Amino acid sequence: VSRRRPARACTAIAAVLAFAGAAGCTGPAPSASGAAPGAAAGAGTAAPAASGAAAAGLPDASLLAWMRESFVARGQAGLDRLDQDDTQRRCSMAAARGGLPPDEAESIRRDNQALLRIPTGPLAGSWTRGEAIAQNGVGRQFSDPPDVPSGGNCYACHRLSAQEIAFGTIGPSLHQYGRLRAGVPREILERETYGHIYDAQAYTACSLMPRFGARGILDDAQIRDLVALLLDPDSPVNRP
Amino acid sequence: VPASRSFIRLPGRCVRTAAGGLLRLGAALAATVLLHGTVGAADPAGTPADSTARGIARYREAVADSNPGELWEVRGEALWTERRGPRNVSLEGCDLGKGPGVVDGAYALLPRYFADVDRVMDLETRLLHCMMTLQGFTRAQALRRPFGAGALRSDFEALAAWIAGRSRGLEMDPPQVWPKEIEAYRLGRSLFFVRAGTHDFACHTCHGQSGRRIRLQELPDLLDPASVRAIYGSWPAYRVSQGEMRTLQWRMNDCFRQQRLPELVFGSDVSVALITFLAVNARGGIVDAPGVRR
């Protein structure tokens, strides 16, 4: 099975922004049966009486209903966290199937563009506050105090400043992010950067990146601070 | 990523550990971790993780003759033979799949279907079942402390370490014969892709590609049987960063916490399905438990 990239509206700006590395929806296609010696034999003979979910072998509505019974609400994490939105549902199915058809990708992208709320005017806050948000992994776990603002935990997946060497590689490196886009008009660059943090799936369907604004993880001021971290010439992201 | 982490910053270097995680270890062992767990200078991408992996490998060598996990194994064996619970009986009548009281080799064949409960069970779920049906503990009593925290120790972690250790050297070979065993695998595979919660995370988000890391932690590609074979047999594992023995039920629970989902119920169908998915993908891998992990 070949890897399929989600279709994207490749405007010149989007190409310049090139977040493509985060287009994580299409990881290696899972093998259909190789890992499950008995799976093929079970396809017709398994008795899915306990759960219709097994029959399809897909993360469908019956699986989600069955899944719920294995969880309990704890702290701030209620069972409603298992209620998938349309994007989550469609991206789960695409990942299980090992591919995202181009028209499905375009539809998901449009849905998420409708969720974008990008304020007008300058969008860059403080890069020093942005760096703290990028380092902070607290928030939204059942073990976290509900009133403490969430961090962005950007370093979990991205390289940003060269000084922080404990960075993850699930997303692309963002080191030199602003410098590499110096030719893009500032206003457009700020809006696109804000938009990617707010809802990356408005640009890349089924991106692995959380939709920080659309899902209410970060507020407007925090996203502005992250925009500054990425774009400010004095930010460590844009220093050697 | 665990919410609370402490950083020890040294000039030009950065060491990540968890507060108190090393307290159990002697000063010499702690020094070994600090030295070898130290990541190098801030140059090329990839170096820090390699360095961390090397550090852990050296740490494993250093403790090869005295794996801290042995402390849990010793306690686990005692818990197996000790008469406990309202009925004051030991767990020696517990059937882990090879007949009542048979421990040797049992772990390599789990999870599996148990006809007496008409369910697939992993090791810890089966232990919970035996604590309730043989020893007479209520579910709440048995699950008072499923995961240890310092002086508050978990019986499951000790029992799992000892029982898994009695399959050391054997190949993982969980059966896929009964319909419910096959169903559990298929459910586990489907669950792997479920994106939900505030952050849209699925197991697949972090464990669907090879060669990636979160911060400095390398992430196994759990869709790749070769990758699963290489790690599954080291669970339960002594976690150096926590100073605790950790089991697969803990691993599932804590991954869902980090996915920002509600709490996974110990011994639940979802936990068993995911462990079955992993165990079957690990077929042919060698049990080397309890292992030592970051």
Side-chain angles (χ1 to χ4, degrees):
Chain A
V1 181
S2 63
R3 288 190 190 200
R4 270 193 268 174
R5 284 267 170 218
R8 298 200 298 147
C10 286
T11 63
I13 296 300
V16 171
L17 286 166
F19 272 77
C25 195
T26 52
S31 63
S33 63
T45 57
S51 54
L58 288 169
D60 57 15
S62 68
L63 183 87
L64 266 292
W66 168 83
M67 181 180 182
R68 222 179 163 85
E69 293 166 30
S70 289
F71 288 82
V72 288
R74 179 166 167 188
Q76 61 172 285
L79 289 175
D80 59 331
R81 296 247 179 124
L82 292 167
D83 296 335
Q84 290 181 305
D85 77 355
D86 204 46
T87 295
Q88 290 173 335
R89 182 183 61 75
R90 293 159 81 182
C91 291
S92 302
M93 293 292 267
R97 290 187 166 125
L100 182 63
D103 54 339
E104 178 79 342
E106 182 58 20
S107 166
I108 291 169
R109 203 181 62 79
R110 265 201 303 271
D111 283 359
N112 281 277
Q113 286 214 321
L115 299 177
L116 281 179
R117 298 285 178 274
I118 305 178
T120 53
L123 291 170
S126 145
W127 72 259
T128 51
R129 286 198 304 261
E131 169 70 9
I133 294 164
Q135 290 280 4
N136 181 6
V138 170
R140 300 294 192 271
Q141 298 179 359
F142 62 62
S143 51
D144 289 324
D147 301 334
V148 176
S150 289
N153 209 14
C154 313
Y155 282 103
C157 298
H158 297 284
R159 183 176 189 226
L160 290 120
S161 111
Q163 283 69 50
E164 178 53 86
I165 56 172
F167 60 86
T169 58
I170 296 171
S173 171
L174 301 177
H175 184 53
Q176 303 292 301
Y177 176 95
R179 278 193 58 189
L180 292 171
R181 293 162 178 81
V184 181
R186 178 73 183 195
E187 188 189 336
I188 294 171
L189 187 53
E190 283 187 2
R191 286 182 62 79
E192 293 281 319
T193 303
Y194 188 104
H196 273 86
I197 299 167
Y198 192 95
D199 187 342
Q201 298 204 48
Y203 306 85
T204 305
C206 300
S207 163
L208 301 183
M209 182 161 144
R211 295 169 287 169
F212 289 100
R215 303 288 290 175
I217 303 164
L218 299 177
D219 64 22
D220 173 61
Q222 289 177 303
I223 297 175
R224 287 172 189 260
D225 290 338
L226 291 175
V227 169
L229 179 67
L230 289 168
L231 297 181
D232 196 306
D234 294 329
S235 160
V237 166
N238 296 314
R239 311 294 290 182
Chain B
V1 177
S4 56
R5 277 179 163 171
S6 64
F7 291 86
I8 302 169
R9 289 199 181 272
L10 306 172
R13 300 189 157 201
C14 167
V15 177
R16 178 182 304 275
T17 177
L22 298 171
L23 294 180
R24 281 173 189 278
L25 299 174
L29 291 183
T32 304
V33 176
L34 289 176
L35 288 173
H36 298 304
T38 297
V39 291
D43 41 13
T47 303
D50 294 347
S51 169
T52 301
R54 275 201 305 276
I56 293 283
R58 282 189 205 138
Y59 175 77
R60 283 200 185 109
E61 271 175 45
V63 299
D65 294 330
S66 58
N67 181 339
E70 285 175 20
L71 298 172
W72 278 261
E73 288 184 270
V74 168
R75 195 164 71 85
E77 181 170 16
L79 282 167
W80 181 262
T81 51
E82 192 185 326
R83 293 149 76 96
R84 300 170 69 238
R87 299 205 188 121
N88 197 35
V89 296
S90 78
L91 285 168
E92 288 164 304
C94 182
D95 183 352
L96 298 173
K98 301 188 75 176
V102 181
V103 176
D104 288 350
Y107 183 68
L109 299 174
L110 289 169
R112 66 182 295 159
Y113 176 76
F114 289 90
D116 57 355
V117 287
D118 190 29
R119 255 195 95 181
V120 176
M121 290 177 154
D122 67 306
L123 172 60
E124 292 161 85
T125 303
R126 189 64 180 172
L127 285 171
L128 172 61
H129 168 77
C130 289
M131 288 176 189
M132 292 169 65
T133 56
L134 292 178
Q135 297 182 312
F137 287 114
T138 65
R139 186 180 179 82
Q141 287 169 337
L143 286 178
R144 199 167 46 96
R145 194 162 293 116
F147 312 127
L152 306 175
R153 300 181 299 181
S154 156
D155 292 346
F156 289 96
E157 287 169 351
L159 283 161
W162 177 66
I163 293 166
R166 295 282 293 262
S167 283
R168 215 151 32 223
L170 299 180
E171 280 189 14
M172 279 303 299
D173 191 22
Q176 285 280 282
V177 176
W178 288 84
K180 288 202 173 177
E181 290 169 346
I182 294 159
E183 180 191 47
Y185 178 91
R186 291 169 64 84
L187 287 166
R189 187 184 178 283
S190 302
L191 287 164
F192 189 82
F193 298 101
V194 171
R195 295 183 75 167
T198 53
H199 287 55
D200 302 335
F201 288 152
C203 307
H204 178 253
T205 308
C206 288
H207 296 290
Q209 304 172 82
S210 59
R212 302 299 168 103
R213 12 177 261 259
I214 190 159
R215 285 280 188 167
L216 291 182
Q217 175 63 42
E218 291 160 44
L219 296 162
D221 177 357
L222 299 177
L223 293 172
D224 172 16
S227 174
V228 184
R229 273 198 298 275
I231 55 158
Y232 187 93
S234 68
W235 287 88
Y238 177 78
R239 287 292 296 261
V240 177
S241 59
Q242 303 179 2
E244 297 283 357
M245 175 65 58
R246 292 308 190 197
T247 64
L248 284 169
Q249 282 284 338
W250 173 85
R251 181 65 278 171
M252 300 302 117
N253 179 288
D254 209 55
C255 272
F256 280 116
R257 177 179 67 87
Q258 293 173 81
Q259 284 180 54
R260 276 78 175 176
L261 294 185
E263 183 163 34
L264 179 66
V265 174
F266 190 101
S268 61
D269 287 344
V270 163
S271 71
V272 171
L274 284 168
I275 292 170
T276 301
F277 176 64
L278 296 176
V280 172
N281 282 349
R283 273 181 169 181
I286 305 297
V287 177
D288 187 28
V292 177
R293 305 189 71 81
R294 177 192 68 84

